[in-house]
Amino acid sequence: MNKRLSIQRCCRISLYLVTAVLLISCKDAPEGNNQLTSTEKEQGWKLLFDGKTTKGWHLYNKGEVPSAWLVKDGALHCTDDAELEHGDLVSNEAYENYDLRFDWQLKADGNSGVFINVQESPENPTTWSTGPEYQLLGNEHPDMAKPTKRPGCLYSFMPQINEVAAKPAGEWNQARIVQENGKITFYLNDKLTAKEDLKSPQWKASVDSSNFKSFPAFGKISSGRIALQDWTKGVAFRNIRILNL
């Protein structure tokens, strides 16, 4: 009888501990997308997209004008509407050492990207003429057959370190870009996909032998704006957040 009571007591204690852990986890969880947990706030994370507006962003070299970048259902979409003003969307602020995380999705044959260290000026006609690219790609796009252009790649420079495909169309992918003292690491769905030191002689040599060699500002500076590419098949983003390191 005592043994049975002891077992029941242990079970009650275990249930209490599990419940307590779940309550703590729920308390720290965000209410929905485009929200920060209390822990993230304490750590210094900032939202770059509020889930309602394009506040904090503008069209590259065009300023804050109405555009094809629209907010729908808590996500930042680039529509295919030809009547709207198109262009890459860039952050109002520049960043140097940071941990950037975001969710993205594309149609099955979609193509887009996120650029870092973008130097916005009339002398630089496009975001990609200055900023290295984290590639975004749908699983049915022809470029999936090109190792240096798969999702999560440092676009056109190297294949994925760990092979990983994007999730099926309509599902959200999780991306992460970390830059510290010029050293960058890319992740796709929690897998490391790219590493590079933008201050190294090897990087300079790679640029000099690439299709970007004709752009004098490309990859030269390890700080700048973040840009979301307006390309094809309606890319969408949510949960864009950053931690300055």
Side-chain angles (χ1 to χ4, degrees), residues 106-172:
L106 278 168
K107 295 180 181 178
D109 58 346
N111 185 355
S112 186
V114 173
F115 302 98
I116 60 173
N117 304 332
V118 172
Q119 308 300 307
E120 185 177 20
S121 74
E123 292 74 27
N124 301 319
T126 63
T127 55
W128 52 263
S129 66
T130 67
E133 178 182 358
Y134 180 112
Q135 168 76 329
L136 309 180
L137 202 69
N139 289 327
E140 295 180 16
H141 193 280
D143 279 356
M144 281 295 290
K146 302 173 182 177
T148 62
K149 296 184 179 181
R150 290 171 60 86
C153 279
L154 176 54
Y155 177 80
S156 87
F157 284 96
M158 61 188 68
Q160 296 172 331
I161 293 176
N162 295 295
E163 187 172 334
V164 54
K167 293 179 181 179
E171 295 186 21
W172 289 96

Side-chain angles (χ1 to χ4, degrees), residues 69 76-78 104-106 112 136 229 232-237:
W69 291 92
L76 182 59
H77 294 261
C78 186
W104 63 273
Q105 65 171 237
L106 278 168
S112 186
L136 309 180
Q229 187 179 36
T232 62
K233 307 300 181 184
V235 67
F237 297 90

Side-chain angles (χ1 to χ4, degrees), residues 128 149 155-157 206-215 218:
W128 52 263
K149 296 184 179 181
Y155 177 80
S156 87
F157 284 96
S206 295
V207 174
D208 289 344
S209 62
S210 74
N211 293 331
F212 295 95
K213 61 185 177 184
S214 59
F215 300 100
F218 180 83

Side-chain angles (χ1 to χ4, degrees), residues 189-207:
N189 297 327
D190 296 323
K191 287 190 177 182
L192 176 68
T193 52
K195 291 180 70 175
E196 185 58 271
D197 184 348
L198 303 182
K199 295 183 178 181
S200 69
Q202 292 80 6
W203 169 247
K204 183 179 184 303
S206 295
V207 174

